[in-house]
Each structure stands twice: as structure tokens, then as C-alpha cells.
Amino acid sequence: MDWFINLMNNHESVAYTVIVYSIVIAIGVALGKVKFFGISFGIAWVLFVGIAMAELGFTVNGHIQHFVKEFGLILFVYTIGLQVGPGFFAAFKKEGVKFNLLAILSVLTCVVTVIAIHFLTGTDMATLVGIMSGAVTNTPGLGAAQATLEDVLGTGQVPSLTTMYAVAYPFGVFGIILVMLMFKGFLKVNVEAEKRLNTWRHAKDQVVINRFAIRVTNPQLFGKKLQVIKETLDFDFTISRMCRNGEILMADSQTHIKEGDIVLIVANQRENEKFLNLIGENVLISDYFPDEKDMRYTSRRINVTQRAIFTKTLAELDVRKRFGVTITRVYRAGLEFVPSAHTKLQFGDTITVIGDETHIQLVSKEFGNSKKRLQTPHIAELFMGITLGVLLGSIPFSIPGIPGAVKLGLAGGPLIVAILISRYGGALSVTHYVSQSANLMIREIGIVLFLASVGLDANAHFIDTIIHGQGLYWMGLGAIITFVPLLVTAMVARFKAKLDYMETCGLLSGASTDPPALAFANEMTNSDIPALTYASVYPLTTFMRIMVAQLLIVFFM
């Protein structure tokens, strides 16, 4: 056993370092799956296990710990940026604008609360930023603040924010859930009634594609091209075929209309009445298009892997005219959205196509739909993006009123570059694609390395701070920072913005970037509505939490 004792006593060896990190991560991830009263702390357990190991004396070389922490943070924020990038811009549409304004209100209220505590209690801003990161369960913000402190104060004089984060984190998780329950109880919310209200409000946005046949009886259309109907009706639809004197003809925008023609239309069901008013009378499809009995209009998801597709908009591809099918949804980096004529597809996008099986197969061939290409890792592009992010984060720039230059840092730089690449990479023929599973794997590796490194910091002295220091005081400050923004945002969302209960729960979870709270909201309401709101505000909130943590350090240190 001497070899084992020697191994565990040599804190500078690579083998010892790997063993300690592996034990911390393995135990932390396993504990993260355990629920207490239906709630789990998730990946944060890696931090707590790291703290416990450090208190027991299992520390690692300081230089190695610092490198692993920073590299893990870079991997985490960069893959987060790739995931949220498309949604970062897509969120500023329709109701997403209202949701994100409320999320901004939550972040700004949090900042005001922190600044107020700073001046009222005299607590230094570094400590408050560490508490704030735990109080809003925002780990990237902790990493950004720690990196900014090193730039401002110098590596040798940086206080550890680990303890502040750790003492505030538990109530950060429970606090938001407590607000949801209080909100439901005090306002006597009927969840089922709220669901019905939400369904009614969004019914007009639901797209139900149907096909129907109309006989042309409007004299104003005789002799005109089908293009006239397209120009008259300002929404998307397809006229793929027509029946003339018993003969089935393929139709396009240049086909001339004659009296008595039967046109076959594929469109949103709510637009049926407009076609009848313009064209003529409804007839049975089976009387004029007998093959429609056997034709099944289906929905198929197709992966975009063909490079020739990336530089063209959907209007230029014009799949409706060429194939008689409709692209109704685009799924990109975890976000599903309705495309416009100006949408440019990117490598790895998954499109939902509605049409007949034969034409869908033709579209599938044109767009690639290659599973093999999707499985090919784009490692060079990934690390080139990280390189650009680190370079951007290292560029010094001046802010009026701030002595000395500031930087975006190792968190802000990679995050911004990843967001821009994920949004505009396709337009520049840059393949940014990382599959969902690969993105999740890299992201999880990055965050567990970061949390383990933070926990293994030998200078944190967590237990001593709780027992003999200001740990309990910091817990109280964390509770204030958790509660005040949540209560203000919830009240404004409910009474001013008129959000229903499910949307409010999703908003609060997203504004705190708190997955455990989202899981609780989904389970409590038995609805996916909180997840939709969460997805709308998560990209902007993540970006703001990271930048706010850095700006507070820059302005007040």
C-alpha cells in the first residue's frame, strides 16, 4: 500500500490531480441526481464536493487548478453561446419582446439591489458579486467575475468568490420555488383555468395545414395567371395542381386560369374562407383528384447538410413552387422557430416539411439529410471560434469614468463570438455546427471542470467562514438578492404585462437561469408553457448575467 500512500501524498503529480478531479466530479454528478423534497441542486453538487475535498486536505497544484478552471469556463460559455445564439436574436419577435423586457427588469432590479446593499452595509462589491452569482444560480457569472477580478487586482491579490457563491446558492434554488408557491397561494391561481386562457390567447398563432379544392367561378380571374392570386392574398399557400376538363395539370405562378378550373390548394386552415371569397366554390377533392385518396400529406423533419443550401434564403430556394411542399418550422441549436422568406438555413438545422411523400423525398435529397455528415465533429472550427473569443476577450478598451482599460475577459469574449458565429456563420459559409449531444457533452465537461476547480481552491476556507466568519450574514444578503427581483418581476408580469401563471413561472426560471426551478414549474403545472417562456428569455438573460457580473466589478472595485 506504500505506492498508494505515496501517490496520494504527492499533490504535484498528474496522477494525483486526475484522481482528485475525477472523484470530485463523479461524486458531485451522482449527488446532483438526488432530489430533496422533489428538488435537486444538480451540477452545483460538484462545487460542494470540491469544497469538502479541499477541507479534508485534498488540494491540487494552484497553477493547474487555475488553468483547468479557466479552460473549463471557456468551454462552457462558448458552447452556451453556440446554443443560445440563434435564440438570442429570434427572441426579439412577437411576445418574445415582452418576455425579454421583463427578464431585463429582473436583472436590473437585481443590480439595483446589489448596489443598494453595497452602499447601505459597506460590503465590498467583490463579495456581493459572489453572493449575487449564487443567489441567482448563475455559474458563468461567477467565472466572469473571478476572471475580471484578476484583471483589475492582479492574479496574486484576488479574493476567492467561492464561499460567497456556495452559501447563497441553496436559497437561490429554493427561493424561486418558494416565490412560485407564494404567488400561487396568495393569488389563488387556478392552474387549469390559466391553461385554458393561454390556449385561447394563442389559438390564432396555431398553424393547421389542410388541402382543399375550389372551382374557379370569379370572372375577374379568367385569363389571369395564378400569380394574381398570390399577389392578392398576402400569406403563404401552395397551388400545386389543377384539374381542367378532367385532365390533371401541374400548376405554377405562370399558369393561366380558365373558367371552371379546379385548383388544389394547400394552406393554413384559418385562411379557407378568403380563398372561397376570391376564387369560387368549394368542391370535393376526390371528385377531381382521385389520386388524393391515396396521397398522404405528412410532416417530415429533414436535416440540412448540403453546402449549396447555406447561401440562399428560403425565398430563393422556393420549395413551394418547385416541390409543392411547405417548410413550417426550423429547429436550430435547441430552439424551434417559424422561418420567414428571408431566413437562411445553416448546417445542422432541422426543418419540418409538410407535403406528399414523393415531393418530400425530393426535398430531402436536395437539402442533404445526411446523418453521417451530422455525426462528423467540427473540432477545427470549434477551437478556431474559441481562439477568436479569447482574442476578443483580451482586447483592452476604455470606458469613460473608469481608470485604466477593461476587457471582456475569458467569459465575455468567447460568449459573444459564439453567439455571432451561431447566428451569422451560415451566411459566411462558416460551419459552426456542434450536434446537441456533442454540445451538451462539451458544456458539461467545461462546467464540472470549472466547479471542481473552484471547490478545490485551498484558499476558500468554507467551513471556517460559516462557523467563525460572515457566512450566515452572507446567506441573509443572498436571500434579499434572490427575493427582491423575483417578487418585483412576478408582480409586474402578472398585473402589468398580463402574463398567465405558467408564463410567469417560466419567466422567473429563465431570468434566474435556473433549470431546477423550471423542472419544478413544469411538474407543478403539468404543462410545457413554462419551458417555452424559459427558452425565450434564457439567451439574453445568460448574456446579461455574465456581463453584469463583470461590469459591477469594473465600476465598483
Side-chain angles (χ1 to χ4, degrees), residues 357-376:
E357 188 64 33
T358 301
H359 287 96
I360 285 179
Q361 290 179 4
L362 294 175
V363 174
S364 178
K365 183 178 180 181
E366 170 137 332
F367 282 57
N369 201 31
S370 171
K371 303 298 182 184
K372 183 177 180 180
R373 291 196 66 187
L374 286 178
Q375 294 171 355
T376 302

PDB file of all heavy atoms in Angstrom, residues 357-376:
ATOM      1  N   GLU A 357     -45.470  12.466 -49.811  1.00  0.00           N
ATOM      2  CA  GLU A 357     -44.255  11.690 -49.576  1.00  0.00           C
ATOM      3  C   GLU A 357     -43.254  11.802 -50.719  1.00  0.00           C
ATOM      4  O   GLU A 357     -42.044  11.926 -50.503  1.00  0.00           O
ATOM      5  CB  GLU A 357     -44.610  10.231 -49.325  1.00  0.00           C
ATOM      6  CG  GLU A 357     -43.455   9.361 -48.871  1.00  0.00           C
ATOM      7  CD  GLU A 357     -42.905   9.778 -47.522  1.00  0.00           C
ATOM      8  OE1 GLU A 357     -43.698  10.259 -46.683  1.00  0.00           O
ATOM      9  OE2 GLU A 357     -41.687   9.649 -47.312  1.00  0.00           O
ATOM     10  N   THR A 358     -43.750  11.785 -51.954  1.00  0.00           N
ATOM     11  CA  THR A 358     -42.853  11.813 -53.119  1.00  0.00           C
ATOM     12  C   THR A 358     -42.045  13.105 -53.168  1.00  0.00           C
ATOM     13  O   THR A 358     -40.825  13.101 -53.350  1.00  0.00           O
ATOM     14  CB  THR A 358     -43.667  11.662 -54.411  1.00  0.00           C
ATOM     15  OG1 THR A 358     -44.392  10.434 -54.369  1.00  0.00           O
ATOM     16  CG2 THR A 358     -42.748  11.659 -55.628  1.00  0.00           C
ATOM     17  N   HIS A 359     -42.734  14.226 -52.984  1.00  0.00           N
ATOM     18  CA  HIS A 359     -42.040  15.507 -53.066  1.00  0.00           C
ATOM     19  C   HIS A 359     -41.147  15.746 -51.850  1.00  0.00           C
ATOM     20  O   HIS A 359     -40.114  16.417 -51.958  1.00  0.00           O
ATOM     21  CB  HIS A 359     -43.053  16.643 -53.221  1.00  0.00           C
ATOM     22  CG  HIS A 359     -43.682  16.698 -54.581  1.00  0.00           C
ATOM     23  ND1 HIS A 359     -44.893  16.116 -54.861  1.00  0.00           N
ATOM     24  CD2 HIS A 359     -43.246  17.239 -55.751  1.00  0.00           C
ATOM     25  CE1 HIS A 359     -45.195  16.301 -56.135  1.00  0.00           C
ATOM     26  NE2 HIS A 359     -44.217  16.988 -56.706  1.00  0.00           N
ATOM     27  N   ILE A 360     -41.547  15.226 -50.708  1.00  0.00           N
ATOM     28  CA  ILE A 360     -40.703  15.359 -49.519  1.00  0.00           C
ATOM     29  C   ILE A 360     -39.374  14.647 -49.731  1.00  0.00           C
ATOM     30  O   ILE A 360     -38.313  15.127 -49.314  1.00  0.00           O
ATOM     31  CB  ILE A 360     -41.429  14.814 -48.272  1.00  0.00           C
ATOM     32  CG1 ILE A 360     -42.505  15.795 -47.816  1.00  0.00           C
ATOM     33  CG2 ILE A 360     -40.449  14.575 -47.134  1.00  0.00           C
ATOM     34  CD1 ILE A 360     -43.283  15.342 -46.611  1.00  0.00           C
ATOM     35  N   GLN A 361     -39.411  13.500 -50.405  1.00  0.00           N
ATOM     36  CA  GLN A 361     -38.171  12.774 -50.686  1.00  0.00           C
ATOM     37  C   GLN A 361     -37.254  13.584 -51.599  1.00  0.00           C
ATOM     38  O   GLN A 361     -36.022  13.570 -51.439  1.00  0.00           O
ATOM     39  CB  GLN A 361     -38.496  11.423 -51.316  1.00  0.00           C
ATOM     40  CG  GLN A 361     -39.135  10.437 -50.343  1.00  0.00           C
ATOM     41  CD  GLN A 361     -39.467   9.117 -50.991  1.00  0.00           C
ATOM     42  OE1 GLN A 361     -39.151   8.889 -52.161  1.00  0.00           O
ATOM     43  NE2 GLN A 361     -40.109   8.230 -50.251  1.00  0.00           N
ATOM     44  N   LEU A 362     -37.835  14.301 -52.567  1.00  0.00           N
ATOM     45  CA  LEU A 362     -37.030  15.150 -53.450  1.00  0.00           C
ATOM     46  C   LEU A 362     -36.388  16.290 -52.666  1.00  0.00           C
ATOM     47  O   LEU A 362     -35.214  16.622 -52.861  1.00  0.00           O
ATOM     48  CB  LEU A 362     -37.908  15.706 -54.578  1.00  0.00           C
ATOM     49  CG  LEU A 362     -38.459  14.692 -55.578  1.00  0.00           C
ATOM     50  CD1 LEU A 362     -39.403  15.379 -56.573  1.00  0.00           C
ATOM     51  CD2 LEU A 362     -37.318  14.007 -56.333  1.00  0.00           C
ATOM     52  N   VAL A 363     -37.155  16.910 -51.762  1.00  0.00           N
ATOM     53  CA  VAL A 363     -36.615  17.980 -50.924  1.00  0.00           C
ATOM     54  C   VAL A 363     -35.515  17.446 -50.019  1.00  0.00           C
ATOM     55  O   VAL A 363     -34.479  18.074 -49.822  1.00  0.00           O
ATOM     56  CB  VAL A 363     -37.742  18.621 -50.083  1.00  0.00           C
ATOM     57  CG1 VAL A 363     -37.161  19.625 -49.095  1.00  0.00           C
ATOM     58  CG2 VAL A 363     -38.750  19.303 -50.986  1.00  0.00           C
ATOM     59  N   SER A 364     -35.739  16.244 -49.482  1.00  0.00           N
ATOM     60  CA  SER A 364     -34.756  15.621 -48.597  1.00  0.00           C
ATOM     61  C   SER A 364     -33.421  15.434 -49.321  1.00  0.00           C
ATOM     62  O   SER A 364     -32.358  15.694 -48.762  1.00  0.00           O
ATOM     63  CB  SER A 364     -35.285  14.275 -48.100  1.00  0.00           C
ATOM     64  OG  SER A 364     -34.333  13.632 -47.285  1.00  0.00           O
ATOM     65  N   LYS A 365     -33.486  15.017 -50.565  1.00  0.00           N
ATOM     66  CA  LYS A 365     -32.267  14.812 -51.356  1.00  0.00           C
ATOM     67  C   LYS A 365     -31.574  16.142 -51.621  1.00  0.00           C
ATOM     68  O   LYS A 365     -30.339  16.242 -51.555  1.00  0.00           O
ATOM     69  CB  LYS A 365     -32.619  14.124 -52.673  1.00  0.00           C
ATOM     70  CG  LYS A 365     -31.411  13.810 -53.537  1.00  0.00           C
ATOM     71  CD  LYS A 365     -31.819  13.073 -54.804  1.00  0.00           C
ATOM     72  CE  LYS A 365     -30.602  12.753 -55.666  1.00  0.00           C
ATOM     73  NZ  LYS A 365     -30.995  12.048 -56.923  1.00  0.00           N
ATOM     74  N   GLU A 366     -32.341  17.188 -51.910  1.00  0.00           N
ATOM     75  CA  GLU A 366     -31.758  18.492 -52.212  1.00  0.00           C
ATOM     76  C   GLU A 366     -31.094  19.120 -50.988  1.00  0.00           C
ATOM     77  O   GLU A 366     -30.054  19.770 -51.095  1.00  0.00           O
ATOM     78  CB  GLU A 366     -32.845  19.433 -52.761  1.00  0.00           C
ATOM     79  CG  GLU A 366     -32.377  20.871 -52.872  1.00  0.00           C
ATOM     80  CD  GLU A 366     -32.820  21.522 -54.176  1.00  0.00           C
ATOM     81  OE1 GLU A 366     -32.999  20.815 -55.182  1.00  0.00           O
ATOM     82  OE2 GLU A 366     -32.976  22.731 -54.192  1.00  0.00           O
ATOM     83  N   PHE A 367     -31.696  18.931 -49.818  1.00  0.00           N
ATOM     84  CA  PHE A 367     -31.183  19.562 -48.607  1.00  0.00           C
ATOM     85  C   PHE A 367     -30.121  18.718 -47.909  1.00  0.00           C
ATOM     86  O   PHE A 367     -29.530  19.158 -46.941  1.00  0.00           O
ATOM     87  CB  PHE A 367     -32.331  19.844 -47.638  1.00  0.00           C
ATOM     88  CG  PHE A 367     -33.135  21.063 -48.002  1.00  0.00           C
ATOM     89  CD1 PHE A 367     -33.748  21.175 -49.226  1.00  0.00           C
ATOM     90  CD2 PHE A 367     -33.242  22.119 -47.115  1.00  0.00           C
ATOM     91  CE1 PHE A 367     -34.474  22.286 -49.568  1.00  0.00           C
ATOM     92  CE2 PHE A 367     -33.976  23.250 -47.437  1.00  0.00           C
ATOM     93  CZ  PHE A 367     -34.598  23.340 -48.689  1.00  0.00           C
ATOM     94  N   GLY A 368     -29.876  17.534 -48.390  1.00  0.00           N
ATOM     95  CA  GLY A 368     -28.815  16.687 -47.848  1.00  0.00           C
ATOM     96  C   GLY A 368     -29.342  15.586 -46.968  1.00  0.00           C
ATOM     97  O   GLY A 368     -29.308  14.415 -47.327  1.00  0.00           O
ATOM     98  N   ASN A 369     -29.810  15.949 -45.775  1.00  0.00           N
ATOM     99  CA  ASN A 369     -30.358  14.994 -44.802  1.00  0.00           C
ATOM    100  C   ASN A 369     -29.393  13.837 -44.529  1.00  0.00           C
ATOM    101  O   ASN A 369     -29.792  12.676 -44.419  1.00  0.00           O
ATOM    102  CB  ASN A 369     -31.711  14.453 -45.287  1.00  0.00           C
ATOM    103  CG  ASN A 369     -32.537  13.900 -44.143  1.00  0.00           C
ATOM    104  OD1 ASN A 369     -32.443  14.375 -43.024  1.00  0.00           O
ATOM    105  ND2 ASN A 369     -33.342  12.894 -44.418  1.00  0.00           N
ATOM    106  N   SER A 370     -28.099  14.158 -44.438  1.00  0.00           N
ATOM    107  CA  SER A 370     -27.070  13.138 -44.240  1.00  0.00           C
ATOM    108  C   SER A 370     -26.759  12.992 -42.751  1.00  0.00           C
ATOM    109  O   SER A 370     -26.196  13.901 -42.132  1.00  0.00           O
ATOM    110  CB  SER A 370     -25.796  13.510 -45.007  1.00  0.00           C
ATOM    111  OG  SER A 370     -24.737  12.647 -44.664  1.00  0.00           O
ATOM    112  N   LYS A 371     -27.136  11.876 -42.177  1.00  0.00           N
ATOM    113  CA  LYS A 371     -26.828  11.619 -40.768  1.00  0.00           C
ATOM    114  C   LYS A 371     -25.322  11.513 -40.548  1.00  0.00           C
ATOM    115  O   LYS A 371     -24.797  11.914 -39.508  1.00  0.00           O
ATOM    116  CB  LYS A 371     -27.510  10.324 -40.315  1.00  0.00           C
ATOM    117  CG  LYS A 371     -29.011  10.295 -40.512  1.00  0.00           C
ATOM    118  CD  LYS A 371     -29.713  11.367 -39.697  1.00  0.00           C
ATOM    119  CE  LYS A 371     -31.227  11.282 -39.890  1.00  0.00           C
ATOM    120  NZ  LYS A 371     -31.928  12.383 -39.179  1.00  0.00           N
ATOM    121  N   LYS A 372     -24.625  10.967 -41.547  1.00  0.00           N
ATOM    122  CA  LYS A 372     -23.180  10.790 -41.428  1.00  0.00           C
ATOM    123  C   LYS A 372     -22.468  12.127 -41.288  1.00  0.00           C
ATOM    124  O   LYS A 372     -21.567  12.293 -40.465  1.00  0.00           O
ATOM    125  CB  LYS A 372     -22.648  10.027 -42.644  1.00  0.00           C
ATOM    126  CG  LYS A 372     -21.155   9.727 -42.575  1.00  0.00           C
ATOM    127  CD  LYS A 372     -20.698   8.920 -43.769  1.00  0.00           C
ATOM    128  CE  LYS A 372     -19.196   8.633 -43.680  1.00  0.00           C
ATOM    129  NZ  LYS A 372     -18.727   7.839 -44.851  1.00  0.00           N
ATOM    130  N   ARG A 373     -22.875  13.120 -42.098  1.00  0.00           N
ATOM    131  CA  ARG A 373     -22.234  14.438 -42.032  1.00  0.00           C
ATOM    132  C   ARG A 373     -22.537  15.126 -40.712  1.00  0.00           C
ATOM    133  O   ARG A 373     -21.714  15.886 -40.196  1.00  0.00           O
ATOM    134  CB  ARG A 373     -22.715  15.309 -43.195  1.00  0.00           C
ATOM    135  CG  ARG A 373     -22.225  14.862 -44.566  1.00  0.00           C
ATOM    136  CD  ARG A 373     -22.409  15.953 -45.592  1.00  0.00           C
ATOM    137  NE  ARG A 373     -21.564  17.109 -45.297  1.00  0.00           N
ATOM    138  CZ  ARG A 373     -21.626  18.264 -45.952  1.00  0.00           C
ATOM    139  NH1 ARG A 373     -22.510  18.418 -46.927  1.00  0.00           N
ATOM    140  NH2 ARG A 373     -20.836  19.255 -45.641  1.00  0.00           N
ATOM    141  N   LEU A 374     -23.717  14.879 -40.165  1.00  0.00           N
ATOM    142  CA  LEU A 374     -24.064  15.475 -38.868  1.00  0.00           C
ATOM    143  C   LEU A 374     -23.212  14.902 -37.738  1.00  0.00           C
ATOM    144  O   LEU A 374     -22.956  15.556 -36.744  1.00  0.00           O
ATOM    145  CB  LEU A 374     -25.544  15.252 -38.557  1.00  0.00           C
ATOM    146  CG  LEU A 374     -26.546  16.094 -39.335  1.00  0.00           C
ATOM    147  CD1 LEU A 374     -27.965  15.711 -38.944  1.00  0.00           C
ATOM    148  CD2 LEU A 374     -26.329  17.579 -39.084  1.00  0.00           C
ATOM    149  N   GLN A 375     -22.801  13.649 -37.898  1.00  0.00           N
ATOM    150  CA  GLN A 375     -22.019  12.982 -36.863  1.00  0.00           C
ATOM    151  C   GLN A 375     -20.539  13.322 -36.927  1.00  0.00           C
ATOM    152  O   GLN A 375     -19.786  12.979 -36.025  1.00  0.00           O
ATOM    153  CB  GLN A 375     -22.212  11.469 -36.967  1.00  0.00           C
ATOM    154  CG  GLN A 375     -23.636  11.018 -36.647  1.00  0.00           C
ATOM    155  CD  GLN A 375     -23.858   9.554 -36.976  1.00  0.00           C
ATOM    156  OE1 GLN A 375     -22.987   8.878 -37.532  1.00  0.00           O
ATOM    157  NE2 GLN A 375     -25.047   9.056 -36.653  1.00  0.00           N
ATOM    158  N   THR A 376     -20.120  14.004 -38.006  1.00  0.00           N
ATOM    159  CA  THR A 376     -18.713  14.371 -38.147  1.00  0.00           C
ATOM    160  C   THR A 376     -18.389  15.551 -37.242  1.00  0.00           C
ATOM    161  O   THR A 376     -19.009  16.613 -37.358  1.00  0.00           O
ATOM    162  CB  THR A 376     -18.399  14.752 -39.606  1.00  0.00           C
ATOM    163  OG1 THR A 376     -18.719  13.660 -40.464  1.00  0.00           O
ATOM    164  CG2 THR A 376     -16.918  15.104 -39.763  1.00  0.00           C
TER     165      THR A 376
END
